Amino acid sequence: KSAQLLRRYAGPLQLRVVTSDFHLARARLLFERAFGEHAALDMIAAPSGLLPDELARALKHESEAIARLAAPEPSTGRPHTA
C-alpha cells in the first residue's frame, strides 16, 4: 500500500536501494513489481561478509524465494506479490 500511495502523490521516483549482495535480485524484483515504471531504481549490493557456505545457503534461499514469487497464486493465477 505504501508504494501505491507514493506513486499517487509523489509522482515519478528515483529510489536508491541498498541491500545484501545475495538479496539484490529478489529486492529488485519486489521493487519493480511495487513501483513499475513509476520509479527509477539504483540498486546497490552491500557485501554481506558471509562465509562461503553461508553465502551458498543464502543464495539458495533467495533463488527459491524468487521461484515462489514467479509462480502463480492458485486463487488468482497472477504471480505472488510478496
Side-chain angles (χ1 to χ4, degrees):
K1 292 201 180 238
S2 297
Q4 291 172 343
L5 290 172
L6 282 171
R7 285 194 313 252
R8 182 179 301 147
Y9 297 109
L13 301 171
Q14 174 90 28
L15 300 176
R16 179 166 290 145
V17 180
V18 180
T19 189
S20 301
D21 49 7
F22 62 85
H23 182 58
L24 190 72
R26 183 161 53 128
R28 179 183 301 279
L29 173 66
L30 292 171
F31 273 87
E32 286 175 348
R33 283 190 182 174
F35 292 99
E37 72 276 357
H38 301 285
L41 299 176
D42 182 12
M43 303 296 292
I44 300 170
S48 64
L50 295 176
L51 297 173
D53 61 326
E54 295 170 322
L55 181 58
R57 282 194 302 275
L59 289 169
K60 182 177 185 284
H61 169 80
E62 290 298 311
S63 177
E64 292 167 353
I66 289 170
R68 284 191 303 273
L69 287 169
E73 290 190 44
S75 61
T76 65
R78 294 188 306 252
H80 290 269
T81 56

